[in-house]
């Protein structure tokens, strides 16, 4: 078993640049010593090995998971009166008086601009770090171009593969930035009216250069252009160390499937997913998540090691991030609790029986210290790198499972639904659910007896996932279900997002909505789904300055609310960058970007 420090060191040693090149900083805000230098003063990247090493350190180390989860309907304010998670427990409302992890969490949860901190897991940190990654990828591309020019325009197979990897990194970085800090894609014409993000293709640090955010449609064109320029030259031969921490061939196709899906290119999305998954479901089953190895786990970190294992066939690409996502929620104000948990995995279904998806017990998802402050997922367990073991301080890390076969299977299912291939989509969703039932024989007997766990059927799709209308005109839908995806006032407007969900597709999309909410939980992708599907939702928070005994304030986000785009850092706006939502601008009190050593948490309970 990999220990806390072993796995981190294994990754970092593979990623440490022998040239000691520091990361470049955010365009429009600051720049590093490296990119401040004239080209002839920089370390010269002039060999294949140097390019390979440069790319190892070019991946982003920020984690967008927390700011996106906190912006979604997966989180609630514990200080607002709420019922327990389980619908079978005594329904006594509770309200706590917990502090938030930091003020920026307050701001993000209230859909305000996050300006109070620039540390890990803040909008500023994510924005800057991803543009650092862009600049590193651009430097690799420029170095490869220079080497080609000196060789009569010819590139070796290794350099072609490196160029493909650099293009994929650049496309991926902009894809994450776009879906986080801009509106979701609504179709070619509609998205021309939505602000994009700067698509940076050079290493220039000229402060006089104007970075235009463009629009969402144009950004997707540039992302797809980089993606399609990279795909023909994919080759894993240069990935000697830790290939799962790179855009290996399978990860590249999975990324392509996601880009095409979000861009409404359904056929291409399905094709790219199938290049990884294939069509043989007996083989697909061997590539999905497997819970049989979790019986001996006794702590959250034990489970995390299995979830994040680079040797797992389910994991296609991992990212080592400097993230405290685990700490922001555990014992603090904003958490996955009460109705949020009921909607995600604590409710009765035909295939789970009583009231909960069994894998949350088998897979180590639990309350921290047993207190009813919020549920957390073992898959985001923290890895700790000691800088001083005697003092107990160091740097926490979270390994992001950025692309997995389980995610990809549901993305292919969605592409198939949008093409009217409901049988194919059902087969994909059935395979996905079955993978979450791969428990040991003992656990299988326990949950089959207690919960009636079984595979999903087409009858389930057309009954459980089809809402009904009562005599009073209200829908008696199950969680995550909509009567009409194209327009349910106050709930969803997929047609406004350029989608046409026909009546026959509704139960399949409802099932997909449920399964994707489980699969992407704690990864931040739920926020992206809410945006791109036009799902409306609310955040309620306790405002201590409000008069009266009930200090609850509720903010409802309509399908086209400008606050669905997280605001860019104030420092970038002050440098001339167009804001995502100018009507919500406020004075800045941002500090400097920093990452200081921290104490390791004492508690490591299951």
């Amino acid at each position: 078993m990999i220990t806390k420090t072993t796995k981190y060191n294994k990754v970092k040693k593979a990623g440490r640049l022998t040239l000691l090149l520091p990361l470049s900083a955010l365009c429009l805000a600051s720049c590093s010593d490296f990119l401040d230098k004239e080209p002839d003063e920089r370390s010269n990247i002039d060999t294949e090995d140097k390019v390979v090493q440069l790319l190892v350190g070019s991946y982003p180390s920020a984690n967008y998971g927390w700011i996106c989860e906190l912006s979604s309907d997966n989180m609630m304010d514990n200080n607002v009166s709420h019922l327990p998670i389980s619908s079978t427990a005594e329904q006594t409302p509770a309200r706590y008086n917990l502090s938030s992890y930091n003020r920026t969490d307050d701001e993000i949860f209230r859909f305000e601009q996050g300006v109070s901190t620039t540390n890990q897991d803040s909008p500023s940190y994510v924005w800057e770090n991803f543009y650092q990654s862009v600049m590193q990828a651009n430097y690799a591309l420029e170095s490869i171009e220079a080497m080609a020019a000196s060789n009569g325009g010819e590139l070796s197979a290794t350099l072609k593969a490196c160029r493909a990897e650099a293009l994929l990194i650049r496309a991926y970085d902009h894809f994450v930035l776009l879906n986080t800090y801009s509106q979701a894609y609504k179709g070619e014409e509609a998205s021309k009216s939505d602000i994009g993000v700067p698509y940076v293709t050079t290493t220039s640090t000229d402060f006089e250069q104007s970075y235009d955010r463009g629009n969402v449609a144009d950004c997707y064109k540039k992302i797809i252009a980089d993606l399609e320029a990279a795909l023909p030259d994919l080759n894993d031969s240069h990935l000697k160390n830790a290939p799962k921490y790179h855009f290996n061939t399978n990860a590249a196709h999975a990324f392509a499937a996601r880009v095409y899906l979000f861009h409404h290119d359904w056929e291409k999305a399905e094709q790219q997913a199938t290049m990884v998954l294939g069509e043989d479901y007996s083989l697909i089953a061997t590539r999905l998540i497997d819970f049989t190895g979790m019986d001996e786990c006794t702590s959250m970190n034990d489970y995390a090691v299995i979830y994040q294992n680079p040797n797992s066939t389910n994991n296609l690409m991992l990212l080592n991030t400097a993230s405290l996502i685990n700490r922001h929620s555990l014992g603090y104000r904003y958490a996955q609790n009460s109705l949020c948990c009921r909607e995600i995995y604590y409710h009765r279904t035909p295939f789970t029986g009583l009231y909960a998806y069994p894998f949350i017990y088998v897979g180590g998802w639990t309350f921290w210290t047993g207190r009813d402050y919020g549920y957390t997922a073992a898959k985001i367990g923290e890895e700790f790198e000691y800088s001083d073991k005697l003092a107990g301080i160091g740097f926490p890390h979270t390994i992001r499972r950025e692309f997995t076969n389980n995610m990809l299977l549901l993305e292919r299912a969605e592409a198939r639904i949008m093409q009217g291939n409901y049988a194919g989509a059902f087969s994909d969703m059935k395979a996905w659910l079955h993978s979450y039932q791969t428990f040991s024989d003992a656990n299988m007997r326990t949950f089959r007896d207690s919960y009636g766990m079984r595979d999903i059927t087409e009858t389930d799709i057309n009954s459980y996932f089809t809402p009904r209308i009562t005599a009073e005109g209200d829908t008696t839908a199950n969680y995550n279900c909509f009567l009409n995806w194209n327009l349910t006032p106050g709930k969803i407007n997929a047609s406004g997002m350029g989608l046409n969900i026909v009546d026959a597709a509704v139960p399949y999309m409802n099932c997909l909505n449920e399964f994707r909410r489980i699969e992407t939980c704690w990864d931040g992708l739920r926020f992206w789904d809410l945006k791109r599907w036009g799902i409306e939702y609310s955040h309620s928070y306790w405002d201590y300055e409000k008069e009266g005994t009930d200090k609850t304030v509720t903010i409802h986000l309509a399908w086209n609310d400008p606050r669905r785009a997280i605001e860019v850092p104030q420092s970038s706006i002050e440098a001339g960058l167009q804001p995502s939502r100018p009507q919500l601008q406020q004075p800045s009190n941002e500090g400097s970007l920093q990452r200081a050593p921290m104490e390791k948490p004492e508690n490591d309970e299951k």
Side-chain angles (χ1 to χ4, degrees):
M1 181 174 291
I2 301 173
T3 63
K4 292 180 176 60
T5 55
T6 301
K7 180 164 68 169
Y8 169 72
N9 289 336
K10 181 178 180 181
V11 176
K12 290 302 288 183
K13 286 177 181 177
R16 189 171 292 126
L17 294 182
T18 58
L19 301 175
L20 299 179
L21 298 178
L23 289 175
S24 60
L26 171 66
C27 59
L28 287 174
S30 61
C31 56
S32 71
D33 293 339
F34 171 56
L35 285 177
D36 261 345
K37 293 179 180 179
E38 293 300 321
D40 57 0
E41 296 177 12
R42 300 176 185 173
S43 298
N44 194 19
I45 307 297
D46 56 2
T47 69
E48 289 182 355
D49 287 344
K50 290 180 181 179
V51 173
V52 170
Q53 287 296 308
L54 178 62
L55 288 174
V56 169
S58 296
Y59 286 82
S61 60
N63 190 335
Y64 60 91
W66 175 247
I67 62 174
C68 288
E69 284 294 302
L70 192 56
S71 300
S72 77
D73 58 354
N74 283 348
M75 293 287 165
M76 60 159 287
D77 181 1
N78 267 324
N79 294 356
V80 170
S81 179
H82 58 275
L83 295 174
I85 284 179
S86 174
S87 60
T88 63
E90 183 179 348
Q91 298 301 290
T92 301
R95 193 187 76 76
Y96 304 123
N97 190 28
L98 300 172
S99 62
S100 55
Y101 187 84
N102 58 36
R103 286 179 58 192
T104 297
D105 285 358
D106 296 325
E107 294 159 351
I108 297 173
F109 188 80
R110 300 178 190 189
F111 305 113
E112 299 170 357
Q113 185 183 19
V115 298
S116 294
T117 60
T118 58
N119 294 347
Q120 296 106 306
D121 305 301
S122 71
S124 294
Y125 191 90
V126 172
W127 173 271
E128 177 163 347
N129 187 270
F130 269 79
Y131 273 115
Q132 289 173 356
S133 175
V134 168
M135 299 292 253
Q136 287 288 92
N138 286 338
Y139 188 61
L141 289 167
E142 290 180 3
S143 299
I144 293 169
E145 289 175 6
M147 293 169 65
S150 66
N151 193 34
E154 295 296 322
L155 286 178
S156 66
T158 296
L159 285 179
K160 285 182 179 179
C162 288
R163 182 176 61 187
E165 184 180 2
L167 287 169
L168 287 166
I169 294 171
R170 186 168 75 183
Y172 164 77
D173 290 338
H174 287 101
F175 178 76
V176 171
L177 289 163
L178 184 65
N179 281 282
T180 302
Y181 298 93
S182 296
Q183 299 295 325
Y185 184 76
K186 298 185 178 77
E188 185 64 23
E189 290 304 314
S191 290
K192 290 179 180 179
S193 300
D194 289 331
I195 301 169
V197 295
Y199 207 95
V200 182
T201 58
T202 71
T203 57
S204 170
T205 57
D206 183 359
F207 287 101
E208 298 302 318
Q209 182 175 353
S210 174
Y211 285 95
D212 182 9
R213 290 187 64 168
N215 60 61
V216 171
D218 285 342
C219 282
Y220 264 102
K221 287 181 180 178
K222 294 172 182 177
I223 291 168
I224 292 172
D226 275 350
L227 176 65
E228 294 183 345
L231 290 176
D233 291 330
L234 289 177
N235 190 324
D236 294 351
S237 61
H238 69 295
L239 305 179
K240 305 298 183 184
N241 296 315
K244 290 288 185 74
Y245 288 87
H246 293 259
F247 267 113
N248 56 77
T249 299
N250 283 338
H253 287 302
F255 172 48
R258 186 172 297 171
V259 170
Y260 288 132
L261 184 73
F262 281 37
H263 193 246
H264 304 175
D265 298 327
W266 317 122
E267 185 177 356
K268 289 183 179 180
E270 181 182 1
Q271 290 172 350
Q272 290 294 319
T274 300
M275 291 182 73
V276 181
L277 297 167
E279 295 281 11
D280 185 339
Y281 285 92
S282 64
L283 290 178
I284 290 174
T286 66
R287 299 168 183 159
L288 302 178
I289 196 167
D290 188 343
F291 286 89
T292 56
M294 297 187 178
D295 288 24
E296 304 302 319
C297 294
T298 59
S299 71
M300 290 286 284
N301 282 346
D302 290 344
Y303 287 100
V305 166
I306 294 178
Y307 277 112
Q308 301 165 2
N309 185 359
N311 295 321
S312 167
T313 56
N314 180 45
N315 293 331
L316 300 177
M317 191 172 97
L318 305 170
L319 290 175
N320 182 12
T321 70
S323 175
L324 307 175
I325 183 172
N326 216 337
R327 303 191 187 191
H328 279 261
S329 180
L330 297 174
Y332 287 98
R333 179 171 181 175
Y334 304 109
Q336 191 177 100
N337 201 359
S338 190
L339 182 59
C340 295
C341 282
R342 289 194 190 187
E343 290 179 346
I344 300 169
Y345 35 66
Y346 259 92
H347 54 266
R348 182 189 299 273
T349 74
F351 35 86
T352 56
L354 186 57
Y355 67 93
Y357 280 85
F359 75 85
I360 62 175
Y361 299 114
V362 177
W365 296 35
T366 186
F367 282 109
W368 197 253
T369 70
R371 298 297 295 273
D372 188 15
Y373 291 160
Y375 225 70
T376 191
K379 70 179 183 180
I380 61 167
E382 185 178 287
E383 296 290 325
F384 199 81
E385 175 202 11
Y386 286 100
S387 58
D388 186 335
K389 200 157 190 176
L390 289 177
I393 61 173
F395 296 98
H397 301 265
T398 298
I399 306 299
R400 277 191 64 88
R401 300 158 67 246
E402 195 63 22
F403 297 103
T404 69
N405 280 320
N406 273 72
M407 289 185 191
L408 187 59
L409 196 61
L410 293 183
E411 287 165 340
R412 185 171 74 174
E414 182 178 349
R416 287 176 164 177
I417 292 170
M418 297 306 298
Q419 296 176 88
N421 180 6
Y422 306 125
F426 170 75
S427 295
D428 284 346
M429 292 189 288
K430 179 180 179 179
W432 176 89
L433 181 63
H434 188 262
S435 74
Y436 276 84
Q437 300 173 343
T438 53
F439 310 143
S440 66
D441 289 342
N443 275 329
M444 185 69 78
R445 287 192 298 271
T446 298
F447 287 107
R448 282 193 186 279
D449 291 341
S450 299
Y451 298 95
M453 189 181 66
R454 61 177 177 80
D455 287 336
I456 193 172
T457 67
E458 291 187 80
T459 300
D460 298 328
I461 293 285
N462 292 301
S463 57
Y464 180 79
F465 289 107
T466 299
R468 301 289 184 262
I469 299 180
T470 67
E472 294 77 23
D474 296 326
T475 59
T476 56
N478 296 300
Y479 294 123
N480 307 307
C481 292
F482 299 98
L483 180 67
N484 181 351
W485 274 61
N486 288 325
L487 181 60
T488 301
K491 295 184 178 180
I492 189 171
N493 186 4
S495 58
M497 298 305 299
L499 303 173
N500 180 27
I501 312 298
V502 299
D503 290 346
V506 169
Y508 293 92
M509 285 299 293
N510 285 338
C511 182
L512 180 76
N513 185 30
E514 167 132 340
F515 288 179
R516 271 190 66 83
R517 194 168 183 186
I518 293 169
E519 179 61 44
T520 64
C521 187
W522 290 98
D523 295 324
L525 274 65
R526 174 62 178 175
F527 179 53
W528 294 359
D529 284 353
L530 292 170
K531 292 203 287 186
R532 67 191 184 90
W533 288 338
I535 297 176
E536 302 190 5
Y537 63 104
S538 301
H539 278 183
S540 295
Y541 67 94
W542 193 261
D543 185 352
Y544 288 91
E545 296 182 0
K546 182 181 177 182
E547 295 183 358
T549 55
D550 185 1
K551 301 180 182 295
T552 303
V553 176
T554 299
I555 304 172
H556 181 78
L557 251 60
W559 68 275
N560 59 351
D561 194 298
R563 291 171 293 185
R564 287 175 178 259
I566 293 177
E567 188 57 274
V568 300
Q570 185 66 24
S571 57
S572 296
I573 295 172
E574 291 172 355
L577 190 69
Q578 185 179 9
S580 298
R581 43 194 198 189
Q583 69 275 32
L584 299 178
Q585 282 300 292
Q586 54 187 281
S588 170
N589 60 342
E590 282 187 319
S592 61
L593 189 70
Q594 56 182 310
R595 184 177 170 227
M598 305 184 68
E599 291 185 357
K600 185 183 184 299
E602 293 182 2
N603 203 334
D604 184 25
E605 296 183 11
K606 177 178 175 182

CSV table of all heavy atoms in Angstrom, one decimal, residues 421-439:
chain,number,residue,atom,x,y,z
A,421,ASN,N,-30.5,7.4,-29.3
A,421,ASN,CA,-30.1,6.0,-29.1
A,421,ASN,C,-30.4,5.7,-27.7
A,421,ASN,O,-29.4,5.6,-26.9
A,421,ASN,CB,-28.7,5.8,-29.5
A,421,ASN,CG,-28.2,4.4,-29.3
A,421,ASN,OD1,-29.0,3.5,-29.0
A,421,ASN,ND2,-26.9,4.2,-29.6
A,422,TYR,N,-31.6,5.5,-27.3
A,422,TYR,CA,-31.9,5.2,-25.9
A,422,TYR,C,-31.5,3.9,-25.4
A,422,TYR,O,-31.1,3.7,-24.2
A,422,TYR,CB,-33.4,5.4,-25.6
A,422,TYR,CG,-33.9,6.8,-26.1
A,422,TYR,CD1,-35.0,6.9,-27.0
A,422,TYR,CD2,-33.3,7.9,-25.7
A,422,TYR,CE1,-35.4,8.1,-27.5
A,422,TYR,CE2,-33.8,9.2,-26.2
A,422,TYR,CZ,-34.8,9.2,-27.1
A,422,TYR,OH,-35.2,10.5,-27.5
A,423,ALA,N,-31.5,2.9,-26.3
A,423,ALA,CA,-31.0,1.5,-25.9
A,423,ALA,C,-29.6,1.6,-25.6
A,423,ALA,O,-29.1,1.0,-24.6
A,423,ALA,CB,-31.3,0.6,-27.1
A,424,GLY,N,-28.8,2.3,-26.4
A,424,GLY,CA,-27.3,2.4,-26.1
A,424,GLY,C,-27.1,3.1,-24.8
A,424,GLY,O,-26.2,2.7,-24.0
A,425,ALA,N,-27.8,4.2,-24.6
A,425,ALA,CA,-27.7,5.0,-23.4
A,425,ALA,C,-28.0,4.1,-22.2
A,425,ALA,O,-27.4,4.2,-21.1
A,425,ALA,CB,-28.5,6.2,-23.4
A,426,PHE,N,-29.1,3.3,-22.3
A,426,PHE,CA,-29.5,2.5,-21.2
A,426,PHE,C,-28.4,1.5,-20.8
A,426,PHE,O,-28.1,1.2,-19.7
A,426,PHE,CB,-30.8,1.8,-21.5
A,426,PHE,CG,-31.2,0.7,-20.5
A,426,PHE,CD1,-31.7,1.0,-19.3
A,426,PHE,CD2,-31.0,-0.6,-20.8
A,426,PHE,CE1,-32.0,0.0,-18.3
A,426,PHE,CE2,-31.3,-1.6,-19.9
A,426,PHE,CZ,-31.8,-1.3,-18.7
A,427,SER,N,-27.8,0.9,-21.8
A,427,SER,CA,-26.8,-0.1,-21.6
A,427,SER,C,-25.6,0.5,-20.9
A,427,SER,O,-25.0,-0.1,-20.0
A,427,SER,CB,-26.3,-0.7,-23.0
A,427,SER,OG,-27.3,-1.4,-23.6
A,428,ASP,N,-25.3,1.8,-21.3
A,428,ASP,CA,-24.2,2.5,-20.6
A,428,ASP,C,-24.5,2.8,-19.1
A,428,ASP,O,-23.7,2.6,-18.2
A,428,ASP,CB,-23.8,3.8,-21.3
A,428,ASP,CG,-23.1,3.6,-22.6
A,428,ASP,OD1,-22.5,2.5,-22.8
A,428,ASP,OD2,-23.0,4.5,-23.4
A,429,MET,N,-25.7,3.2,-18.9
A,429,MET,CA,-26.1,3.6,-17.5
A,429,MET,C,-26.2,2.3,-16.6
A,429,MET,O,-25.9,2.4,-15.4
A,429,MET,CB,-27.4,4.4,-17.5
A,429,MET,CG,-27.2,5.8,-18.1
A,429,MET,SD,-28.6,7.0,-17.9
A,429,MET,CE,-29.8,6.3,-19.0
A,430,LYS,N,-26.7,1.3,-17.2
A,430,LYS,CA,-26.8,0.0,-16.5
A,430,LYS,C,-25.4,-0.5,-16.1
A,430,LYS,O,-25.2,-0.9,-15.0
A,430,LYS,CB,-27.5,-1.1,-17.4
A,430,LYS,CG,-27.6,-2.4,-16.7
A,430,LYS,CD,-28.4,-3.4,-17.6
A,430,LYS,CE,-28.5,-4.8,-16.9
A,430,LYS,NZ,-29.2,-5.7,-17.8
A,431,ALA,N,-24.4,-0.4,-17.0
A,431,ALA,CA,-23.1,-0.8,-16.7
A,431,ALA,C,-22.5,0.1,-15.6
A,431,ALA,O,-21.7,-0.4,-14.8
A,431,ALA,CB,-22.2,-0.8,-18.0
A,432,TRP,N,-22.8,1.4,-15.7
A,432,TRP,CA,-22.3,2.3,-14.7
A,432,TRP,C,-22.8,1.9,-13.3
A,432,TRP,O,-22.0,1.8,-12.3
A,432,TRP,CB,-22.7,3.7,-15.0
A,432,TRP,CG,-22.3,4.7,-13.9
A,432,TRP,CD1,-21.1,5.4,-13.9
A,432,TRP,CD2,-23.1,5.1,-12.8
A,432,TRP,NE1,-21.1,6.2,-12.7
A,432,TRP,CE2,-22.3,6.0,-12.0
A,432,TRP,CE3,-24.3,4.7,-12.3
A,432,TRP,CZ2,-22.7,6.6,-10.9
A,432,TRP,CZ3,-24.8,5.3,-11.1
A,432,TRP,CH2,-24.0,6.2,-10.4
A,433,LEU,N,-24.1,1.6,-13.2
A,433,LEU,CA,-24.7,1.3,-11.9
A,433,LEU,C,-24.1,0.0,-11.4
A,433,LEU,O,-23.8,-0.2,-10.2
A,433,LEU,CB,-26.2,1.2,-12.0
A,433,LEU,CG,-26.9,0.8,-10.7
A,433,LEU,CD1,-26.8,1.9,-9.7
A,433,LEU,CD2,-28.4,0.6,-11.0
A,434,HIS,N,-24.0,-1.0,-12.3
A,434,HIS,CA,-23.4,-2.3,-11.9
A,434,HIS,C,-22.0,-2.2,-11.3
A,434,HIS,O,-21.7,-2.9,-10.4
A,434,HIS,CB,-23.4,-3.3,-13.1
A,434,HIS,CG,-23.1,-4.7,-12.7
A,434,HIS,ND1,-21.8,-5.2,-12.8
A,434,HIS,CD2,-23.8,-5.7,-12.1
A,434,HIS,CE1,-21.8,-6.4,-12.3
A,434,HIS,NE2,-23.0,-6.8,-11.9
A,435,SER,N,-21.2,-1.2,-11.8
A,435,SER,CA,-19.9,-1.1,-11.3
A,435,SER,C,-19.9,-0.6,-9.8
A,435,SER,O,-19.0,-0.9,-9.1
A,435,SER,CB,-19.1,-0.1,-12.1
A,435,SER,OG,-19.5,1.3,-11.9
A,436,TYR,N,-21.0,0.1,-9.4
A,436,TYR,CA,-21.1,0.6,-8.0
A,436,TYR,C,-21.7,-0.5,-7.1
A,436,TYR,O,-21.9,-0.3,-6.0
A,436,TYR,CB,-21.9,1.8,-8.0
A,436,TYR,CG,-21.1,3.1,-8.3
A,436,TYR,CD1,-20.9,3.5,-9.6
A,436,TYR,CD2,-20.6,3.8,-7.2
A,436,TYR,CE1,-20.1,4.6,-9.8
A,436,TYR,CE2,-19.8,4.9,-7.4
A,436,TYR,CZ,-19.6,5.3,-8.8
A,436,TYR,OH,-18.8,6.4,-9.0
A,437,GLN,N,-21.9,-1.7,-7.7
A,437,GLN,CA,-22.4,-2.8,-6.9
A,437,GLN,C,-21.3,-3.9,-6.8
A,437,GLN,O,-21.7,-5.1,-6.5
A,437,GLN,CB,-23.7,-3.3,-7.5
A,437,GLN,CG,-24.8,-2.3,-7.5
A,437,GLN,CD,-26.0,-2.7,-8.3
A,437,GLN,OE1,-26.0,-3.7,-9.0
A,437,GLN,NE2,-27.1,-2.0,-8.1
A,438,THR,N,-20.1,-3.6,-7.1
A,438,THR,CA,-19.0,-4.6,-7.1
A,438,THR,C,-18.4,-4.8,-5.8
A,438,THR,O,-17.2,-4.5,-5.5
A,438,THR,CB,-17.9,-4.2,-8.2
A,438,THR,OG1,-17.5,-2.9,-7.9
A,438,THR,CG2,-18.4,-4.3,-9.6
A,439,PHE,N,-19.2,-5.2,-4.8
A,439,PHE,CA,-18.7,-5.3,-3.4
A,439,PHE,C,-18.2,-6.8,-3.2
A,439,PHE,O,-18.4,-7.6,-4.0
A,439,PHE,CB,-19.9,-5.0,-2.5
A,439,PHE,CG,-20.6,-3.8,-2.7
A,439,PHE,CD1,-21.9,-3.7,-2.5
A,439,PHE,CD2,-19.9,-2.6,-3.1
A,439,PHE,CE1,-22.6,-2.5,-2.7
A,439,PHE,CE2,-20.6,-1.4,-3.4
A,439,PHE,CZ,-21.9,-1.4,-3.1
